[in-house]
Short mmCIF file of all heavy atoms in Angstrom, two decimals:
data_model
loop_
_atom_site.label_atom_id
_atom_site.label_comp_id
_atom_site.label_asym_id
_atom_site.label_seq_id
_atom_site.Cartn_x
_atom_site.Cartn_y
_atom_site.Cartn_z
N ASP A 42 25.39 26.53 -13.32
CA ASP A 42 25.16 27.93 -12.93
C ASP A 42 26.44 28.75 -13.07
O ASP A 42 26.41 29.88 -13.55
CB ASP A 42 24.65 28.02 -11.49
CG ASP A 42 23.23 27.51 -11.32
OD1 ASP A 42 22.52 27.35 -12.34
OD2 ASP A 42 22.82 27.28 -10.16
N LEU A 43 27.56 28.18 -12.65
CA LEU A 43 28.84 28.88 -12.76
C LEU A 43 29.23 29.09 -14.21
O LEU A 43 29.76 30.15 -14.58
CB LEU A 43 29.94 28.12 -12.01
CG LEU A 43 29.80 28.07 -10.49
CD1 LEU A 43 30.86 27.16 -9.90
CD2 LEU A 43 29.86 29.46 -9.87
N LEU A 44 28.98 28.09 -15.05
CA LEU A 44 29.26 28.22 -16.48
C LEU A 44 28.43 29.36 -17.09
O LEU A 44 28.94 30.18 -17.85
CB LEU A 44 28.94 26.93 -17.22
CG LEU A 44 30.02 25.88 -17.27
CD1 LEU A 44 29.47 24.57 -17.83
CD2 LEU A 44 31.20 26.35 -18.11
N GLU A 45 27.16 29.40 -16.72
CA GLU A 45 26.26 30.44 -17.23
C GLU A 45 26.72 31.83 -16.80
O GLU A 45 26.64 32.79 -17.57
CB GLU A 45 24.84 30.17 -16.73
CG GLU A 45 23.79 31.04 -17.36
CD GLU A 45 22.40 30.65 -16.89
OE1 GLU A 45 21.99 29.50 -17.15
OE2 GLU A 45 21.75 31.49 -16.24
N LYS A 46 27.25 31.93 -15.59
CA LYS A 46 27.74 33.22 -15.07
C LYS A 46 29.14 33.54 -15.57
O LYS A 46 29.62 34.65 -15.40
CB LYS A 46 27.74 33.20 -13.54
CG LYS A 46 26.37 33.14 -12.93
CD LYS A 46 26.46 33.00 -11.42
CE LYS A 46 25.07 32.81 -10.82
NZ LYS A 46 25.12 32.50 -9.40
N GLY A 47 29.82 32.56 -16.13
CA GLY A 47 31.18 32.76 -16.60
C GLY A 47 32.20 32.88 -15.48
O GLY A 47 33.24 33.51 -15.64
N ASP A 48 31.93 32.24 -14.36
CA ASP A 48 32.81 32.31 -13.19
C ASP A 48 33.89 31.22 -13.29
O ASP A 48 33.79 30.15 -12.68
CB ASP A 48 32.00 32.15 -11.91
CG ASP A 48 32.80 32.48 -10.66
OD1 ASP A 48 34.05 32.48 -10.70
OD2 ASP A 48 32.16 32.73 -9.62
N ASP A 49 34.93 31.51 -14.05
CA ASP A 49 36.00 30.54 -14.29
C ASP A 49 36.78 30.18 -13.03
O ASP A 49 37.25 29.06 -12.89
CB ASP A 49 36.96 31.05 -15.36
CG ASP A 49 36.29 31.16 -16.72
OD1 ASP A 49 35.30 30.43 -16.96
OD2 ASP A 49 36.73 31.99 -17.55
N VAL A 50 36.93 31.13 -12.11
CA VAL A 50 37.67 30.86 -10.88
C VAL A 50 36.92 29.83 -10.03
O VAL A 50 37.51 28.85 -9.55
CB VAL A 50 37.89 32.17 -10.08
CG1 VAL A 50 38.51 31.87 -8.72
CG2 VAL A 50 38.76 33.13 -10.87
N ALA A 51 35.63 30.04 -9.84
CA ALA A 51 34.84 29.08 -9.05
C ALA A 51 34.78 27.73 -9.75
O ALA A 51 34.85 26.69 -9.09
CB ALA A 51 33.44 29.63 -8.82
N LEU A 52 34.66 27.73 -11.08
CA LEU A 52 34.64 26.47 -11.82
C LEU A 52 35.93 25.68 -11.62
O LEU A 52 35.91 24.47 -11.46
CB LEU A 52 34.44 26.73 -13.32
CG LEU A 52 33.01 26.98 -13.77
CD1 LEU A 52 33.00 27.57 -15.17
CD2 LEU A 52 32.21 25.70 -13.72
N ALA A 53 37.05 26.38 -11.62
CA ALA A 53 38.34 25.72 -11.45
C ALA A 53 38.49 25.10 -10.06
O ALA A 53 39.27 24.17 -9.88
CB ALA A 53 39.47 26.72 -11.70
N ASN A 54 37.73 25.61 -9.08
CA ASN A 54 37.83 25.10 -7.72
C ASN A 54 36.83 23.99 -7.40
O ASN A 54 36.86 23.43 -6.30
CB ASN A 54 37.64 26.24 -6.72
CG ASN A 54 38.85 27.16 -6.71
OD1 ASN A 54 39.98 26.71 -6.71
ND2 ASN A 54 38.61 28.45 -6.71
N LEU A 55 35.96 23.69 -8.35
CA LEU A 55 35.01 22.59 -8.11
C LEU A 55 35.76 21.27 -8.06
O LEU A 55 36.72 21.06 -8.80
CB LEU A 55 33.96 22.52 -9.22
CG LEU A 55 32.88 23.58 -9.20
CD1 LEU A 55 31.95 23.38 -10.40
CD2 LEU A 55 32.09 23.53 -7.92
N PRO A 56 35.31 20.37 -7.20
CA PRO A 56 35.99 19.06 -7.13
C PRO A 56 35.73 18.22 -8.36
O PRO A 56 34.71 18.36 -9.04
CB PRO A 56 35.37 18.42 -5.89
CG PRO A 56 34.05 19.07 -5.75
CD PRO A 56 34.21 20.47 -6.26
N LYS A 57 36.68 17.36 -8.66
CA LYS A 57 36.50 16.34 -9.70
C LYS A 57 35.93 15.12 -8.98
O LYS A 57 36.55 14.59 -8.07
CB LYS A 57 37.83 16.02 -10.35
CG LYS A 57 38.40 17.19 -11.13
CD LYS A 57 39.69 16.82 -11.80
CE LYS A 57 40.40 17.96 -12.49
NZ LYS A 57 39.70 19.12 -12.89
N VAL A 58 34.73 14.73 -9.38
CA VAL A 58 33.99 13.69 -8.65
C VAL A 58 33.87 12.42 -9.49
O VAL A 58 33.57 12.48 -10.67
CB VAL A 58 32.58 14.20 -8.28
CG1 VAL A 58 31.78 13.11 -7.58
CG2 VAL A 58 32.67 15.44 -7.40
N THR A 59 34.09 11.28 -8.83
CA THR A 59 33.83 9.98 -9.42
C THR A 59 32.91 9.25 -8.46
O THR A 59 33.16 9.21 -7.25
CB THR A 59 35.13 9.17 -9.61
OG1 THR A 59 36.02 9.93 -10.43
CG2 THR A 59 34.85 7.83 -10.27
N CYS A 60 31.83 8.69 -8.99
CA CYS A 60 30.87 7.96 -8.17
C CYS A 60 31.04 6.47 -8.42
O CYS A 60 31.08 6.02 -9.56
CB CYS A 60 29.45 8.42 -8.52
SG CYS A 60 28.19 7.70 -7.46
N PHE A 61 31.15 5.71 -7.35
CA PHE A 61 31.33 4.26 -7.43
C PHE A 61 30.12 3.55 -6.83
O PHE A 61 29.59 3.98 -5.81
CB PHE A 61 32.57 3.83 -6.64
CG PHE A 61 33.85 4.40 -7.16
CD1 PHE A 61 34.36 5.59 -6.66
CD2 PHE A 61 34.55 3.74 -8.17
CE1 PHE A 61 35.55 6.11 -7.14
CE2 PHE A 61 35.74 4.26 -8.66
CZ PHE A 61 36.24 5.45 -8.14
N ASP A 62 29.71 2.48 -7.46
CA ASP A 62 28.63 1.65 -6.93
C ASP A 62 28.86 0.22 -7.41
O ASP A 62 29.40 0.01 -8.49
CB ASP A 62 27.26 2.14 -7.40
CG ASP A 62 26.13 1.56 -6.57
OD1 ASP A 62 25.75 0.40 -6.79
OD2 ASP A 62 25.64 2.27 -5.69
N ARG A 63 28.44 -0.74 -6.62
CA ARG A 63 28.57 -2.14 -7.03
C ARG A 63 27.71 -2.47 -8.23
O ARG A 63 28.05 -3.30 -9.04
CB ARG A 63 28.16 -3.06 -5.89
CG ARG A 63 29.29 -3.52 -5.08
CD ARG A 63 28.81 -4.59 -4.14
NE ARG A 63 29.82 -4.70 -3.10
CZ ARG A 63 29.75 -5.47 -2.07
NH1 ARG A 63 28.69 -6.22 -1.89
NH2 ARG A 63 30.71 -5.51 -1.20
N ALA A 64 26.55 -1.83 -8.28
CA ALA A 64 25.62 -2.11 -9.38
C ALA A 64 26.12 -1.45 -10.65
O ALA A 64 26.96 -0.54 -10.63
CB ALA A 64 24.22 -1.58 -9.03
N SER A 65 25.58 -1.88 -11.77
CA SER A 65 26.01 -1.34 -13.06
C SER A 65 25.39 0.02 -13.36
O SER A 65 25.78 0.67 -14.31
CB SER A 65 25.68 -2.32 -14.18
OG SER A 65 24.28 -2.54 -14.21
N GLY A 66 24.43 0.45 -12.55
CA GLY A 66 23.78 1.73 -12.78
C GLY A 66 23.36 2.35 -11.46
O GLY A 66 23.62 1.80 -10.39
N PRO A 67 22.70 3.50 -11.53
CA PRO A 67 22.28 4.18 -10.31
C PRO A 67 21.21 3.40 -9.56
O PRO A 67 20.51 2.58 -10.14
CB PRO A 67 21.73 5.52 -10.81
CG PRO A 67 21.41 5.31 -12.23
CD PRO A 67 22.32 4.22 -12.73
N GLY A 68 21.11 3.65 -8.27
CA GLY A 68 20.09 3.01 -7.47
C GLY A 68 20.58 2.52 -6.13
O GLY A 68 19.81 2.40 -5.18
N GLY A 69 21.87 2.23 -6.03
CA GLY A 69 22.42 1.78 -4.75
C GLY A 69 21.72 0.55 -4.21
O GLY A 69 21.47 -0.40 -4.93
N VAL A 70 21.37 0.59 -2.93
CA VAL A 70 20.75 -0.56 -2.27
C VAL A 70 19.31 -0.80 -2.72
O VAL A 70 18.68 -1.77 -2.32
CB VAL A 70 20.80 -0.44 -0.73
CG1 VAL A 70 22.23 -0.38 -0.24
CG2 VAL A 70 19.99 0.73 -0.23
N TRP A 71 18.78 0.08 -3.58
CA TRP A 71 17.42 -0.12 -4.10
C TRP A 71 17.39 -1.24 -5.14
O TRP A 71 16.32 -1.74 -5.48
CB TRP A 71 16.88 1.19 -4.68
CG TRP A 71 16.73 2.21 -3.59
CD1 TRP A 71 17.67 3.11 -3.19
CD2 TRP A 71 15.62 2.40 -2.73
NE1 TRP A 71 17.20 3.85 -2.14
CE2 TRP A 71 15.93 3.44 -1.84
CE3 TRP A 71 14.37 1.79 -2.64
CZ2 TRP A 71 15.05 3.88 -0.87
CZ3 TRP A 71 13.50 2.25 -1.67
CH2 TRP A 71 13.84 3.26 -0.80
N HIS A 72 18.56 -1.66 -5.64
CA HIS A 72 18.63 -2.83 -6.53
C HIS A 72 18.48 -4.07 -5.65
O HIS A 72 19.08 -4.15 -4.59
CB HIS A 72 19.99 -2.91 -7.23
CG HIS A 72 20.17 -1.91 -8.32
ND1 HIS A 72 19.65 -2.08 -9.57
CD2 HIS A 72 20.82 -0.72 -8.33
CE1 HIS A 72 19.96 -1.04 -10.32
NE2 HIS A 72 20.67 -0.20 -9.58
N VAL A 73 17.72 -5.03 -6.10
CA VAL A 73 17.59 -6.29 -5.38
C VAL A 73 18.38 -7.34 -6.14
O VAL A 73 18.19 -7.52 -7.33
CB VAL A 73 16.11 -6.72 -5.27
CG1 VAL A 73 16.00 -8.11 -4.67
CG2 VAL A 73 15.34 -5.73 -4.43
N GLU A 74 19.29 -7.95 -5.44
CA GLU A 74 20.10 -9.00 -6.06
C GLU A 74 20.17 -10.16 -5.10
O GLU A 74 20.63 -10.01 -3.97
CB GLU A 74 21.50 -8.46 -6.35
CG GLU A 74 22.35 -9.41 -7.13
CD GLU A 74 23.70 -8.82 -7.48
OE1 GLU A 74 23.76 -7.82 -8.18
OE2 GLU A 74 24.69 -9.39 -7.02
N SER A 75 19.73 -11.30 -5.54
CA SER A 75 19.68 -12.47 -4.65
C SER A 75 20.96 -13.28 -4.65
O SER A 75 21.22 -14.00 -3.72
CB SER A 75 18.50 -13.36 -5.03
OG SER A 75 18.64 -13.80 -6.35
N ARG A 76 21.77 -13.15 -5.68
CA ARG A 76 22.98 -13.98 -5.72
C ARG A 76 24.11 -13.33 -4.93
O ARG A 76 24.17 -12.14 -4.74
CB ARG A 76 23.41 -14.24 -7.15
CG ARG A 76 23.84 -13.03 -7.91
CD ARG A 76 24.17 -13.42 -9.36
NE ARG A 76 24.45 -12.25 -10.13
CZ ARG A 76 25.65 -11.66 -10.22
NH1 ARG A 76 26.67 -12.16 -9.57
NH2 ARG A 76 25.82 -10.60 -10.95
N SER A 77 25.01 -14.14 -4.48
CA SER A 77 26.16 -13.67 -3.71
C SER A 77 27.18 -13.01 -4.63
O SER A 77 27.33 -13.39 -5.77
CB SER A 77 26.80 -14.87 -3.01
OG SER A 77 28.02 -14.49 -2.43
N THR A 78 27.88 -12.04 -4.09
CA THR A 78 28.95 -11.41 -4.86
C THR A 78 30.32 -11.95 -4.44
O THR A 78 31.33 -11.40 -4.78
CB THR A 78 28.93 -9.87 -4.66
OG1 THR A 78 29.05 -9.59 -3.26
CG2 THR A 78 27.66 -9.27 -5.20
N ILE A 79 30.30 -13.04 -3.69
CA ILE A 79 31.55 -13.62 -3.21
C ILE A 79 32.09 -14.61 -4.25
O ILE A 79 31.42 -15.58 -4.58
CB ILE A 79 31.35 -14.36 -1.87
CG1 ILE A 79 30.81 -13.40 -0.82
CG2 ILE A 79 32.65 -14.99 -1.41
CD1 ILE A 79 30.42 -14.08 0.48
N PRO A 80 33.29 -14.35 -4.78
CA PRO A 80 33.87 -15.32 -5.71
C PRO A 80 34.10 -16.65 -4.99
O PRO A 80 34.38 -16.69 -3.80
CB PRO A 80 35.21 -14.68 -6.10
CG PRO A 80 35.12 -13.26 -5.67
CD PRO A 80 34.13 -13.19 -4.56
N SER A 81 34.01 -17.75 -5.71
CA SER A 81 34.12 -19.07 -5.08
C SER A 81 35.49 -19.31 -4.46
O SER A 81 35.61 -20.09 -3.52
CB SER A 81 33.81 -20.16 -6.11
OG SER A 81 34.73 -20.08 -7.18
N ASP A 82 36.54 -18.65 -4.94
CA ASP A 82 37.88 -18.88 -4.42
C ASP A 82 38.32 -17.80 -3.43
O ASP A 82 39.47 -17.72 -3.04
CB ASP A 82 38.89 -18.96 -5.56
CG ASP A 82 38.95 -17.67 -6.37
OD1 ASP A 82 38.03 -16.83 -6.25
OD2 ASP A 82 39.92 -17.49 -7.12
N ALA A 83 37.39 -16.95 -2.96
CA ALA A 83 37.74 -15.83 -2.08
C ALA A 83 37.76 -16.25 -0.62
O ALA A 83 37.11 -17.21 -0.22
CB ALA A 83 36.72 -14.71 -2.26
N GLU A 84 38.52 -15.51 0.15
CA GLU A 84 38.53 -15.67 1.60
C GLU A 84 37.21 -15.13 2.13
O GLU A 84 36.91 -13.96 1.92
CB GLU A 84 39.69 -14.89 2.22
CG GLU A 84 41.05 -15.45 1.95
CD GLU A 84 41.32 -16.67 2.81
OE1 GLU A 84 40.81 -16.74 3.95
OE2 GLU A 84 42.04 -17.55 2.34
N PRO A 85 36.40 -15.91 2.81
CA PRO A 85 35.09 -15.44 3.29
C PRO A 85 35.17 -14.17 4.13
O PRO A 85 34.31 -13.32 4.02
CB PRO A 85 34.57 -16.62 4.11
CG PRO A 85 35.28 -17.80 3.57
CD PRO A 85 36.64 -17.30 3.12
N LYS A 86 36.19 -14.01 4.96
CA LYS A 86 36.25 -12.84 5.82
C LYS A 86 36.60 -11.57 5.03
O LYS A 86 36.43 -10.47 5.53
CB LYS A 86 37.24 -13.06 6.95
CG LYS A 86 38.68 -13.22 6.49
CD LYS A 86 39.58 -13.49 7.67
CE LYS A 86 40.99 -13.72 7.16
NZ LYS A 86 41.91 -14.09 8.21
N LEU A 87 37.08 -11.68 3.79
CA LEU A 87 37.45 -10.52 3.00
C LEU A 87 36.30 -10.03 2.11
O LEU A 87 36.41 -9.00 1.49
CB LEU A 87 38.67 -10.83 2.12
CG LEU A 87 39.94 -11.20 2.85
CD1 LEU A 87 41.04 -11.54 1.85
CD2 LEU A 87 40.38 -10.07 3.77
N CYS A 88 35.22 -10.81 2.02
CA CYS A 88 34.11 -10.47 1.13
C CYS A 88 32.82 -10.39 1.93
O CYS A 88 32.72 -10.91 3.02
CB CYS A 88 33.96 -11.53 0.04
SG CYS A 88 35.40 -11.68 -1.00
N SER A 89 31.86 -9.72 1.35
CA SER A 89 30.56 -9.69 2.00
C SER A 89 29.48 -9.82 0.95
O SER A 89 29.69 -9.54 -0.23
CB SER A 89 30.39 -8.37 2.75
OG SER A 89 30.40 -7.29 1.84
N ARG A 90 28.34 -10.23 1.38
CA ARG A 90 27.21 -10.31 0.47
C ARG A 90 26.72 -8.90 0.21
O ARG A 90 26.85 -8.02 1.02
CB ARG A 90 26.10 -11.16 1.07
CG ARG A 90 26.53 -12.59 1.24
CD ARG A 90 25.32 -13.45 1.57
NE ARG A 90 25.75 -14.81 1.83
CZ ARG A 90 25.98 -15.71 0.90
NH1 ARG A 90 25.82 -15.40 -0.37
NH2 ARG A 90 26.36 -16.93 1.20
N ARG A 91 26.13 -8.72 -0.94
CA ARG A 91 25.60 -7.42 -1.33
C ARG A 91 24.43 -7.04 -0.43
O ARG A 91 23.56 -7.84 -0.16
CB ARG A 91 25.17 -7.46 -2.78
CG ARG A 91 24.65 -6.15 -3.22
CD ARG A 91 24.22 -6.23 -4.63
NE ARG A 91 23.57 -4.97 -4.87
CZ ARG A 91 23.77 -4.23 -5.92
NH1 ARG A 91 24.56 -4.64 -6.85
NH2 ARG A 91 23.18 -3.09 -6.05
N THR A 92 24.41 -5.81 0.01
CA THR A 92 23.31 -5.32 0.82
C THR A 92 22.27 -4.68 -0.10
O THR A 92 22.62 -3.93 -1.00
CB THR A 92 23.83 -4.25 1.80
OG1 THR A 92 24.83 -4.83 2.61
CG2 THR A 92 22.71 -3.72 2.66
N SER A 93 21.02 -5.00 0.13
CA SER A 93 19.96 -4.35 -0.64
C SER A 93 18.67 -4.38 0.18
O SER A 93 18.53 -5.16 1.11
CB SER A 93 19.74 -5.05 -1.98
OG SER A 93 19.25 -6.36 -1.79
N VAL A 94 17.78 -3.48 -0.17
CA VAL A 94 16.46 -3.51 0.46
C VAL A 94 15.72 -4.71 -0.12
O VAL A 94 16.06 -5.21 -1.18
CB VAL A 94 15.68 -2.20 0.21
CG1 VAL A 94 16.39 -1.02 0.83
CG2 VAL A 94 15.42 -1.95 -1.26
N TYR A 95 14.72 -5.18 0.61
CA TYR A 95 13.98 -6.34 0.10
C TYR A 95 13.02 -5.89 -1.00
O TYR A 95 12.65 -4.73 -1.11
CB TYR A 95 13.28 -7.10 1.21
CG TYR A 95 12.38 -6.27 2.10
CD1 TYR A 95 11.03 -6.15 1.81
CD2 TYR A 95 12.88 -5.62 3.21
CE1 TYR A 95 10.20 -5.38 2.61
CE2 TYR A 95 12.07 -4.85 4.02
CZ TYR A 95 10.73 -4.74 3.71
OH TYR A 95 9.91 -3.99 4.51
N GLU A 96 12.63 -6.83 -1.85
CA GLU A 96 11.88 -6.51 -3.06
C GLU A 96 10.56 -5.79 -2.80
O GLU A 96 10.15 -4.92 -3.56
CB GLU A 96 11.63 -7.78 -3.88
CG GLU A 96 11.16 -7.47 -5.27
CD GLU A 96 11.35 -8.64 -6.22
OE1 GLU A 96 12.04 -9.61 -5.87
OE2 GLU A 96 10.81 -8.55 -7.32
#
Side-chain angles (χ1 to χ4, degrees):
D42 289 345
L43 293 174
L44 274 170
E45 189 176 297
K46 293 175 185 172
D48 191 341
D49 294 335
V50 173
L52 279 166
N54 288 316
L55 285 178
K57 294 182 186 338
V58 177
T59 302
C60 186
F61 297 93
D62 196 281
R63 265 189 198 177
S65 60
V70 299
W71 295 90
H72 286 280
V73 173
E74 187 177 298
S75 60
R76 64 183 174 87
S77 171
T78 58
I79 302 173
S81 60
D82 61 344
E84 289 283 329
K86 64 183 177 184
L87 298 178
C88 299
S89 64
R90 296 192 184 277
R91 181 181 172 134
T92 302
S93 66
V94 298
Y95 54 92
E96 194 161 348

